[in-house]
Amino acid sequence: MNTDALRGHMDALLLSVLENDPLHGYAIIEALQERSGGTLTVPTGTVYPALRRLEQAGYLASEWATVGGRKRRTYRLTSAGRTALAGERSAWREFAGVIGSVLEPRTTR
């Protein structure tokens, strides 16, 4: 998939994969790939800065944990993040509807 097409939607994607369970960075990347049927391959250089930005905005909280002897930062959605995700989903439905109405062939009368 064209990564330019993801521009502007990365926050919504990240918030969505964190909706149900806290995940560490690499697990977030794997979740994006799995939920997209293998279509989305998002580089770490895109994901980690976005996670930090979302945390600074108050949409995510994080904590360090040791898993298998390795320290990992685990992210979880905050209540503000849930509200932001709801807004992102609403905006996406509106955007997809408008673009779809333009791209779909028009029936002639």
Side-chain angles (χ1 to χ4, degrees), residues 56-108:
Q56 288 173 346
Y59 299 154
L60 299 178
S62 69
E63 60 185 33
W64 287 99
T66 302
V67 179
R70 294 181 58 189
K71 285 186 80 173
R72 292 183 175 165
R73 189 173 210 143
T74 302
Y75 298 88
R76 67 175 173 75
L77 211 55
T78 63
S79 59
R82 291 186 189 287
T83 301
L85 177 57
E88 291 281 354
R89 284 182 169 147
S90 177
W92 172 254
R93 283 189 291 274
E94 181 180 349
F95 175 78
V98 169
I99 298 301
S101 68
V102 173
L103 291 178
E104 290 299 318
R106 296 183 81 174
T107 56
T108 56

Side-chain angles (χ1 to χ4, degrees), residues 18 28 32 44 46 54 58-59 65 69 71 74 92 108:
L18 289 165
I28 292 169
L32 287 168
T44 57
T46 299
L54 290 168
Y59 299 154
K71 285 186 80 173
T74 302
W92 172 254
T108 56

